[in-house]
Amino acid sequence: MHPPLTLHRHPMCADIIEQFQKCHADHPISKFFGECTELKVKLDRCFRQEKALKRKANFEESKKFKERLLAYRKEMHEKSQD
């Protein structure tokens, strides 16, 4: 199973998505017997790479947010001490 194949949500995989959709349109019966399996595997790999990049970016963003939050807490703690 794959996520919805919308091009705007998966810009890295747009070419493969288009090929996969074309394969399904061109082979309405044989798609059930593995005609488009190779493209499906490529698509899954592309989605995994895309997800890994998003995960890394989110992790970096969360580290920055944590640093700002700790600095804010420290500042508030020092103000309450005064």
Side-chain angles (χ1 to χ4, degrees):
M1 200 67 187
H2 50 74
L5 300 177
T6 54
L7 298 176
H8 68 279
R9 291 190 65 203
H10 305 286
M12 284 179 52
C13 306
D15 293 337
I16 300 171
I17 289 172
E18 289 174 348
Q19 291 172 11
F20 184 69
Q21 289 175 334
K22 184 177 181 332
C23 182
H24 272 229
D26 293 346
H27 307 286
I29 302 297
S30 58
K31 69 181 176 184
F32 296 113
F33 300 103
E35 181 70 31
C36 304
T37 302
E38 186 178 320
L39 286 171
K40 172 73 168 103
V41 171
K42 286 182 183 179
L43 190 60
D44 288 343
R45 286 187 189 135
C46 185
F47 284 154
R48 273 190 233 118
Q49 289 175 344
E50 187 178 59
K51 188 174 183 177
L53 287 175
K54 286 181 181 181
R55 188 181 312 122
K56 185 177 180 179
N58 286 341
F59 180 70
E60 293 298 323
E61 188 178 326
S62 73
K63 281 177 31 178
K64 290 176 186 176
F65 179 76
K66 263 187 200 174
E67 289 172 3
R68 287 195 321 255
L69 182 62
L70 288 174
Y72 176 76
R73 286 181 177 170
K74 185 177 180 181
E75 181 183 323
M76 288 294 120
H77 181 70
E78 289 174 356
K79 283 184 179 181
S80 68
Q81 296 273 331
D82 292 338

